[in-house]
Amino acid sequence: MTDTLFLQSDVPDPFGVYAHKLARHPVHRDEGSRLWAVYSHAACKALLQSDAAHIPPQPAAMLETMNPHTALLAAKLARLANPPMHAAARQAAMRLVESMHAVDVAALLDSLLHGHAHDTLDWIDVVCKKLPALFILKSFGFTQRDIDALLPQVETLTKIMSPNKTARQIGEVNAVSEAVYRTVAHHLTRLPGLSAAMMEDRDLHAVNMIGLLIQSYDAGRGILSNALVQQIRFHPGGFGDDVAAYRRLVTETLRFDPPIHNTRRVLAADVEIGGVQMQKGDAVLLVLAAANRDPERFADPEKFDPERGNNMDHLSFGTGMHMCAAHRLSVALAADALAALYAHFPKVALLQERFAYEPLVNARLPTRMLIRLG
């Protein structure tokens, strides 16, 4: 791999790489990878908001290996869809988010931590990999039987999001997609607020319900893990019952140490960005983690500061037509989880200073995070 595309597991400090690129080549053509790499906040935002910047399509050869339910995910997920399908898919995703019911996050966290009081535990394995998807399933009223069946499959389903899926990854998704689809579709048709919309396009709503689970897994676990690290380092005693303070900390974490570092687009038309002419068909890597520390947008960007006035200008949830439909929900969930944790364990301690990361290009996700509840 080049210094444009690298596995997060191989690079101790990607932010140093981004700062170097941002200062010297904010919009850079990497001939080795045959793509444009965009690092500045202004250029990333302009591309995210451009109608010409499309999600890379699924290769025909890849689609041929998918079973019908996996192919439905590839075709109708809002996160993977382009116009004209995207508008309907996003509307379905938004309708689903708006129909979610309130859930007691403290009770969910307590159920996951049950039996771990005073223990050393892996915060990621015990909480971060489970809480976001569990929250979503509970908010839609899934039975415990369905939750027990669906939760173990979410990690497998995330492989549909990989831009370069292997035959093995597609096979793994094929193995679970039909059962997951049928469980979700059956449940959603029984919800009064969604029944009419589901009758119009059952596939679209079931697929984007699954999409909420998929996107909750990596992004959700990353927000929960990174926010706890920043909480312990920035304000180790917690904020008491000040939920707004936890939300500010989570928002600044998304700017300073986001779980998703980059996303890809392919141009459907010629585009000029940052004074650079790009051509129709060009592939583009938008390095959102670099944009979030762009000194042209954020004063003193290397400082973690939850009180900065514009920390909500981060691009970790995207912007434009593919902005995360559940971005407010994600921040609220992480903040509520931190508040609940510190309400019971105000002396929670981090037992490691350095982390190993998953071998991913687009996401920087710690593999383990050992903590002591105290």
Side-chain angles (χ1 to χ4, degrees):
M1 290 193 178
T2 66
D3 62 352
T4 301
L5 292 175
F6 51 80
L7 295 176
Q8 294 291 335
S9 54
D10 293 344
V11 179
D13 178 24
F15 294 102
V17 177
Y18 303 152
H20 177 84
K21 293 287 191 179
L22 184 58
R24 292 164 178 77
H25 308 289
V27 179
H28 170 64
R29 177 68 182 177
D30 185 333
E31 294 298 345
S33 301
R34 301 182 65 184
L35 54 72
W36 291 97
V38 180
Y39 297 90
S40 75
H41 187 280
C44 282
K45 185 175 181 179
L47 273 168
L48 288 169
Q49 294 180 336
S50 171
D51 292 339
H54 285 194
I55 301 298
Q58 306 289 317
M62 190 179 292
L63 290 171
E64 291 173 359
T65 66
M66 296 179 181
N67 70 22
H69 292 89
T70 302
L72 269 180
L73 290 175
K76 295 198 172 188
L77 272 177
R79 181 61 186 83
L80 296 178
N82 289 309
M85 170 58 70
H86 178 265
R90 181 168 178 80
Q91 184 178 31
M94 294 296 294
R95 185 181 291 119
L96 287 163
V97 170
E98 291 166 1
S99 69
M100 294 171 72
H101 298 293
V103 174
D104 186 344
V105 175
L108 292 185
L109 182 66
D110 184 62
S111 70
L112 294 174
L113 292 178
H114 182 71
H116 290 285
H118 306 294
D119 286 352
T120 295
L121 61 94
D122 180 358
W123 173 249
I124 292 171
D125 187 58
V126 174
V127 174
C128 300
K129 289 184 176 181
K130 300 181 179 71
L131 181 60
L134 180 60
F135 175 86
I136 290 170
L137 293 168
K138 287 283 188 180
S139 75
F140 284 109
F142 279 85
T143 66
Q144 190 59 50
R145 179 179 178 179
D146 283 347
I147 290 172
D148 291 341
L150 291 170
L151 268 182
Q153 310 305 336
V154 176
E155 182 177 10
T156 298
L157 290 168
T158 63
K159 295 170 185 177
I160 194 69
M161 306 301 289
S162 173
N164 299 305
K165 291 177 279 294
T166 65
R168 179 176 178 177
Q169 287 175 320
I170 294 174
E172 290 170 347
V173 178
N174 283 343
V176 303
S177 59
E178 180 176 359
V180 170
Y181 172 87
R182 292 189 182 282
T183 300
V184 169
H186 176 69
H187 180 77
L188 291 187
T189 54
R190 295 181 297 174
L191 298 182
L194 290 171
S195 56
M198 285 286 291
M199 289 296 291
E200 292 178 10
D201 196 329
R202 178 181 179 180
D203 288 344
L204 192 66
H205 288 80
V207 161
N208 281 286
M209 168 76 242
I210 296 169
L212 291 177
L213 295 172
I214 290 172
Q215 291 192 264
S216 78
Y217 187 78
D218 283 347
R221 86 178 242 201
I223 295 171
L224 284 167
S225 59
N226 294 2
L228 181 58
V229 169
Q230 298 306 328
Q231 180 72 60
I232 292 171
R233 291 175 177 173
F234 177 77
H235 202 284
F239 297 118
D241 59 358
D242 189 353
V243 176
Y246 287 109
R247 292 194 181 192
R248 290 193 296 272
L249 180 133
V250 171
T251 301
E252 174 67 348
T253 299
L254 284 161
R255 183 200 69 83
F256 183 80
D257 190 16
I260 306 302
H261 276 217
N262 59 67
T263 187
R264 301 189 190 210
R265 297 290 188 271
V266 62
L267 299 181
D270 294 351
V271 173
E272 183 179 330
I273 295 292
V276 175
Q277 187 66 42
M278 301 178 184
Q279 306 298 316
K280 179 180 178 180
D282 284 352
V284 186
L285 183 80
L286 295 86
V287 189
L288 307 179
N292 287 348
R293 294 198 186 189
D294 187 343
E296 295 292 325
R297 190 74 189 100
F298 301 99
D300 199 5
E302 303 302 319
K303 178 183 179 182
F304 183 83
D305 180 11
E307 302 301 326
R308 73 172 63 244
N310 67 337
N311 59 13
M312 291 185 68
D313 291 346
H314 70 78
L315 297 176
S316 295
F317 289 125
T319 185
M321 64 178 174
H322 280 101
M323 185 174 187
C324 176
H327 63 281
R328 293 187 181 89
L329 187 68
S330 299
V331 172
L333 172 60
D336 289 348
L338 288 179
L341 177 68
Y342 276 88
H344 292 284
F345 305 103
K347 295 184 179 180
V348 61
L350 183 63
L351 301 183
Q352 58 188 111
E353 283 298 315
R354 296 183 179 182
F355 304 98
Y357 292 89
E358 300 286 0
L360 302 170
V361 173
N362 71 313
R364 190 165 178 84
L365 304 174
T367 58
R368 299 178 71 208
M369 184 173 293
L370 298 180
I371 65 170
R372 183 174 60 248
L373 294 177

